[in-house]
Amino acid sequence: MDDPVFAERYRAMSSRDARFDGQFITGVHSTGIYCRPSCPATTPKPANVSFFLTAAAAHEAGLRACKRCLPDAVPGSPAWNIRDDLAARAMRLIGDGTVEREGVPGLASRLGYTPRHLTRVLVAEVGAGPLALARAHRAQTARVLLTSTDLSITDIAFAAGFGSVRQFNDTIAAVYERTPSALRAGARPAANRGPTHPRDTDAPEDGDTPGGTGSRISLFLPARAPFDGQGLLDFLGVRAITGVERRTPTGYERTLRLPHGWASLHLAPAGTTAAPTIACTVSLASLADLAPLVSRVRRLFDLDADAQAIDLALADDPALADSVRRVPGMRVPGSLDPEETLFRALLGQQVSVASARTALGNLSAALGEPLPGHPGPDSSGPPDPAEHATDPAGIALPGMPRLLFPTAERIAENGRDVLRGPVARINAIIGVAEALAAGELVLDVGESSEELQARLTALPGIGPWTAGYVAMRVLGSPDILLTSDLALRQGADRLGLPATARDLAAHGNRWAPWRSYAGMHLWRAAGSPRPAGPPASPREPVGPVTLRR
């Protein structure tokens, strides 16, 4: 108890404070289990307790998951978004399934280090190496599928990223001290699980990779309260690209490319105010993409953010206190597709929301790829009732998403035939597409914010605003304040804050490390559905620049 960090965590555990669920794990050596901080079990003596940052570290210490509190059924740690060091970048990539797809050497290569050095850093920082961390992530994914879907045991094994059914069974037994069937039997009744539609093909043999035409799965992804889910849906809805995504009466749906194929998903707020969730219904070409999809949806909705800590810090500023009170739990929207986010930022500069959506819709209609099994936008056939949905006010909604956003290769090859506007902007978009297609520019969650922004601004036509905006969305960087944005400064002025970029930046230092969230409050105050960006400069006609006065 002489260690202040231990003492703080022990107090949180003793009070069963649910705010700390997912932020650390309580290991109880006298019973051999690990729990979430809010576990209702009897408080153990300090001498019998160790605290871990990850479930993998608890596994490495010989502990198994508590059957009562299910410590992995909580939002993840916000530390991997707040931190931007090697360990945090590795954790983001592991969550995205990089180890399953590329192995530890591939993970290390993406981060620019040797596997030995990466393992040494992760063991020192989070208590487990990349293989153990990936194993724990697979086990957690498997538990969610076992307890919330009716997928076969074999399908779940491969969907969670295991190489064989035998490896899956051994891991579940080691982590949960139960067989997969027993873990499923102890969950809620099958009638209460989300609907699934497994493949009709026979289950593969041990060690085979499943094939087939896809599965439809429904999951509930927990968020940390408070959670402004409707605000995120509004943010996404006003940007919805016809054919690729749309706002629905109950949520948001879109198409998406994943490492092994396409996906079509519907997302909607669910749960309660105290325990919010996102209901995720997804159709997948390959079950192997389920874990990466879940990771990306969590990042899109910023589900792991420590909302109470953020709101408490921002409310210390009297200028933001009322906004925080009116909209608690505001989130920074993430990105499902980093390359798409960059193209959207470039096409959306210095134009209205309607103009940006039109340009992106035209680009997608011309160069996007129809979902397999679905007709393209020009196909004839019987009308689909889903194409004529209306919102609660009876206003017609755009048609069901059936197109995948164009790849960088297609934009590089044919973009000039479709894009309209200033030549300099078109040149910049084509230049970015060519760099992405050639592998000269790589966008993923393993980048550091500083490196990503430097790499983007080195490209012709990309200024600081675009680079900062992309870093905020793609990496979930919590501490980016885009002071050159006109709408953001208008919102600041309405709240009585400095309205010049320099003065607002100076005032915003007090919001660190949550300046991205403060910016969301400023955009909300401006009544703007999207960041507007600064006006074009003769010296930088495409990318936004710091406003000069």
mmCIF file of all heavy atoms in Angstrom, residues 47 83 86 116 134 157 185 202 205 218 244 247 259 279 294 313 380 413 431 454 472 478-479 484:
data_model
loop_
_atom_site.group_PDB
_atom_site.id
_atom_site.type_symbol
_atom_site.label_atom_id
_atom_site.label_comp_id
_atom_site.label_asym_id
_atom_site.label_seq_id
_atom_site.Cartn_x
_atom_site.Cartn_y
_atom_site.Cartn_z
ATOM 1 N N ALA A 47 -2.205 -8.097 0.309
ATOM 2 C CA ALA A 47 -1.074 -8.994 0.074
ATOM 3 C C ALA A 47 -1.379 -10.051 -0.981
ATOM 4 O O ALA A 47 -0.459 -10.628 -1.567
ATOM 5 C CB ALA A 47 -0.667 -9.673 1.381
ATOM 6 N N ARG A 83 -2.267 7.140 -25.188
ATOM 7 C CA ARG A 83 -0.826 6.995 -25.399
ATOM 8 C C ARG A 83 -0.530 6.880 -26.887
ATOM 9 O O ARG A 83 -1.341 6.404 -27.676
ATOM 10 C CB ARG A 83 -0.322 5.758 -24.657
ATOM 11 C CG ARG A 83 -0.381 5.882 -23.153
ATOM 12 C CD ARG A 83 -0.105 4.562 -22.457
ATOM 13 N NE ARG A 83 1.131 3.913 -22.878
ATOM 14 C CZ ARG A 83 1.618 2.815 -22.302
ATOM 15 N NH1 ARG A 83 0.964 2.270 -21.286
ATOM 16 N NH2 ARG A 83 2.733 2.275 -22.739
ATOM 17 N N LEU A 86 5.250 3.212 -28.530
ATOM 18 C CA LEU A 86 5.340 1.947 -29.243
ATOM 19 C C LEU A 86 4.352 0.926 -28.701
ATOM 20 O O LEU A 86 3.690 0.209 -29.476
ATOM 21 C CB LEU A 86 6.771 1.409 -29.152
ATOM 22 C CG LEU A 86 7.019 0.026 -29.769
ATOM 23 C CD1 LEU A 86 6.671 0.022 -31.248
ATOM 24 C CD2 LEU A 86 8.475 -0.396 -29.547
ATOM 25 N N ARG A 116 12.216 -9.052 -31.411
ATOM 26 C CA ARG A 116 12.783 -9.178 -30.064
ATOM 27 C C ARG A 116 12.598 -7.886 -29.275
ATOM 28 O O ARG A 116 12.189 -7.903 -28.109
ATOM 29 C CB ARG A 116 14.262 -9.549 -30.154
ATOM 30 C CG ARG A 116 14.942 -9.644 -28.789
ATOM 31 C CD ARG A 116 16.385 -10.097 -28.918
ATOM 32 N NE ARG A 116 16.468 -11.461 -29.452
ATOM 33 C CZ ARG A 116 17.607 -12.104 -29.637
ATOM 34 N NH1 ARG A 116 18.754 -11.521 -29.351
ATOM 35 N NH2 ARG A 116 17.601 -13.335 -30.118
ATOM 36 N N ALA A 134 -2.178 -11.299 -28.332
ATOM 37 C CA ALA A 134 -3.070 -11.724 -29.409
ATOM 38 C C ALA A 134 -3.923 -12.908 -28.952
ATOM 39 O O ALA A 134 -5.113 -12.996 -29.275
ATOM 40 C CB ALA A 134 -2.264 -12.089 -30.647
ATOM 41 N N ALA A 157 -14.296 -20.650 -33.666
ATOM 42 C CA ALA A 157 -12.844 -20.814 -33.529
ATOM 43 C C ALA A 157 -12.104 -20.030 -34.601
ATOM 44 O O ALA A 157 -11.146 -19.302 -34.317
ATOM 45 C CB ALA A 157 -12.478 -22.297 -33.604
ATOM 46 N N ALA A 185 -23.253 -22.607 -22.556
ATOM 47 C CA ALA A 185 -24.400 -23.059 -21.770
ATOM 48 C C ALA A 185 -24.646 -22.168 -20.562
ATOM 49 O O ALA A 185 -25.786 -22.020 -20.110
ATOM 50 C CB ALA A 185 -24.198 -24.504 -21.325
ATOM 51 N N ASP A 202 -20.668 -27.563 -44.886
ATOM 52 C CA ASP A 202 -20.280 -28.411 -43.760
ATOM 53 C C ASP A 202 -19.179 -27.751 -42.960
ATOM 54 O O ASP A 202 -18.383 -26.986 -43.486
ATOM 55 C CB ASP A 202 -19.789 -29.769 -44.268
ATOM 56 C CG ASP A 202 -20.930 -30.578 -44.881
ATOM 57 O OD1 ASP A 202 -22.105 -30.338 -44.500
ATOM 58 O OD2 ASP A 202 -20.637 -31.423 -45.734
ATOM 59 N N GLU A 205 -12.787 -29.350 -41.200
ATOM 60 C CA GLU A 205 -12.032 -30.213 -40.305
ATOM 61 C C GLU A 205 -11.056 -29.375 -39.491
ATOM 62 O O GLU A 205 -10.725 -28.230 -39.852
ATOM 63 C CB GLU A 205 -11.263 -31.247 -41.116
ATOM 64 C CG GLU A 205 -12.147 -32.233 -41.868
ATOM 65 C CD GLU A 205 -12.945 -33.109 -40.936
ATOM 66 O OE1 GLU A 205 -12.431 -33.428 -39.843
ATOM 67 O OE2 GLU A 205 -14.081 -33.472 -41.291
ATOM 68 N N SER A 218 -25.133 -10.726 -35.128
ATOM 69 C CA SER A 218 -25.490 -9.564 -34.322
ATOM 70 C C SER A 218 -24.764 -9.622 -32.989
ATOM 71 O O SER A 218 -24.754 -10.660 -32.331
ATOM 72 C CB SER A 218 -27.005 -9.505 -34.090
ATOM 73 O OG SER A 218 -27.691 -9.257 -35.292
ATOM 74 N N VAL A 244 -23.008 4.059 -50.495
ATOM 75 C CA VAL A 244 -21.994 3.471 -49.624
ATOM 76 C C VAL A 244 -22.488 3.401 -48.181
ATOM 77 O O VAL A 244 -22.207 2.440 -47.465
ATOM 78 C CB VAL A 244 -20.675 4.264 -49.697
ATOM 79 C CG1 VAL A 244 -19.640 3.738 -48.703
ATOM 80 C CG2 VAL A 244 -20.108 4.230 -51.108
ATOM 81 N N ARG A 247 -27.911 7.025 -43.096
ATOM 82 C CA ARG A 247 -28.546 7.113 -41.785
ATOM 83 C C ARG A 247 -29.899 6.448 -41.902
ATOM 84 O O ARG A 247 -30.652 6.727 -42.837
ATOM 85 C CB ARG A 247 -28.684 8.584 -41.388
ATOM 86 C CG ARG A 247 -29.331 8.822 -40.019
ATOM 87 C CD ARG A 247 -28.353 8.555 -38.905
ATOM 88 N NE ARG A 247 -28.659 9.356 -37.723
ATOM 89 C CZ ARG A 247 -29.511 9.019 -36.764
ATOM 90 N NH1 ARG A 247 -30.150 7.878 -36.849
ATOM 91 N NH2 ARG A 247 -29.707 9.805 -35.739
ATOM 92 N N PRO A 259 -9.849 -6.978 -44.376
ATOM 93 C CA PRO A 259 -8.678 -7.696 -44.906
ATOM 94 C C PRO A 259 -9.003 -8.911 -45.762
ATOM 95 O O PRO A 259 -8.275 -9.217 -46.707
ATOM 96 C CB PRO A 259 -7.926 -8.096 -43.636
ATOM 97 C CG PRO A 259 -8.269 -7.017 -42.655
ATOM 98 C CD PRO A 259 -9.685 -6.659 -42.949
ATOM 99 N N ALA A 279 -25.438 -1.781 -30.846
ATOM 100 C CA ALA A 279 -25.909 -3.018 -31.476
ATOM 101 C C ALA A 279 -25.329 -3.068 -32.884
ATOM 102 O O ALA A 279 -25.548 -2.164 -33.682
ATOM 103 C CB ALA A 279 -27.429 -3.048 -31.520
ATOM 104 N N VAL A 294 -14.949 -5.665 -35.336
ATOM 105 C CA VAL A 294 -15.351 -5.227 -34.000
ATOM 106 C C VAL A 294 -14.390 -4.160 -33.479
ATOM 107 O O VAL A 294 -14.813 -3.143 -32.919
ATOM 108 C CB VAL A 294 -15.411 -6.429 -33.039
ATOM 109 C CG1 VAL A 294 -15.533 -5.969 -31.588
ATOM 110 C CG2 VAL A 294 -16.582 -7.340 -33.402
ATOM 111 N N ALA A 313 -12.658 17.033 -16.760
ATOM 112 C CA ALA A 313 -11.562 17.939 -17.086
ATOM 113 C C ALA A 313 -12.057 19.134 -17.890
ATOM 114 O O ALA A 313 -11.680 20.284 -17.617
ATOM 115 C CB ALA A 313 -10.484 17.189 -17.856
ATOM 116 N N SER A 380 -31.526 -2.925 -63.309
ATOM 117 C CA SER A 380 -32.979 -2.936 -63.252
ATOM 118 C C SER A 380 -33.435 -4.181 -62.512
ATOM 119 O O SER A 380 -32.716 -5.162 -62.400
ATOM 120 C CB SER A 380 -33.564 -2.908 -64.654
ATOM 121 O OG SER A 380 -33.113 -4.040 -65.390
ATOM 122 N N GLU A 413 -6.177 5.573 -61.170
ATOM 123 C CA GLU A 413 -6.264 5.236 -62.587
ATOM 124 C C GLU A 413 -7.336 6.028 -63.322
ATOM 125 O O GLU A 413 -7.130 6.466 -64.467
ATOM 126 C CB GLU A 413 -6.549 3.740 -62.729
ATOM 127 C CG GLU A 413 -6.602 3.255 -64.164
ATOM 128 C CD GLU A 413 -6.854 1.765 -64.261
ATOM 129 O OE1 GLU A 413 -6.932 1.112 -63.193
ATOM 130 O OE2 GLU A 413 -6.973 1.261 -65.390
ATOM 131 N N GLY A 431 -2.505 12.468 -56.632
ATOM 132 C CA GLY A 431 -1.183 12.212 -56.056
ATOM 133 C C GLY A 431 -1.257 11.348 -54.815
ATOM 134 O O GLY A 431 -0.447 10.428 -54.628
ATOM 135 N N ALA A 454 3.284 14.367 -40.189
ATOM 136 C CA ALA A 454 4.466 14.780 -40.953
ATOM 137 C C ALA A 454 4.467 14.131 -42.333
ATOM 138 O O ALA A 454 4.808 14.760 -43.339
ATOM 139 C CB ALA A 454 5.734 14.412 -40.185
ATOM 140 N N MET A 472 -6.743 12.685 -36.098
ATOM 141 C CA MET A 472 -7.768 12.640 -35.057
ATOM 142 C C MET A 472 -8.767 11.523 -35.332
ATOM 143 O O MET A 472 -9.158 10.775 -34.422
ATOM 144 C CB MET A 472 -8.492 13.984 -34.980
ATOM 145 C CG MET A 472 -9.509 14.091 -33.867
ATOM 146 S SD MET A 472 -10.269 15.739 -33.776
ATOM 147 C CE MET A 472 -11.315 15.699 -35.239
ATOM 148 N N PRO A 478 -6.528 12.014 -29.047
ATOM 149 C CA PRO A 478 -7.445 12.781 -28.207
ATOM 150 C C PRO A 478 -7.071 14.242 -28.018
ATOM 151 O O PRO A 478 -7.839 14.993 -27.436
ATOM 152 C CB PRO A 478 -7.353 12.049 -26.867
ATOM 153 C CG PRO A 478 -5.933 11.565 -26.816
ATOM 154 C CD PRO A 478 -5.581 11.212 -28.242
ATOM 155 N N ASP A 479 -5.902 14.645 -28.512
ATOM 156 C CA ASP A 479 -5.381 15.963 -28.127
ATOM 157 C C ASP A 479 -5.023 16.823 -29.332
ATOM 158 O O ASP A 479 -3.969 17.427 -29.386
ATOM 159 C CB ASP A 479 -4.150 15.774 -27.222
ATOM 160 C CG ASP A 479 -3.869 17.011 -26.369
ATOM 161 O OD1 ASP A 479 -4.827 17.732 -26.048
ATOM 162 O OD2 ASP A 479 -2.688 17.242 -26.041
ATOM 163 N N SER A 484 -7.319 26.261 -36.937
ATOM 164 C CA SER A 484 -7.477 26.941 -38.218
ATOM 165 C C SER A 484 -8.856 26.714 -38.826
ATOM 166 O O SER A 484 -9.184 27.302 -39.855
ATOM 167 C CB SER A 484 -6.406 26.465 -39.204
ATOM 168 O OG SER A 484 -6.491 25.074 -39.414
#
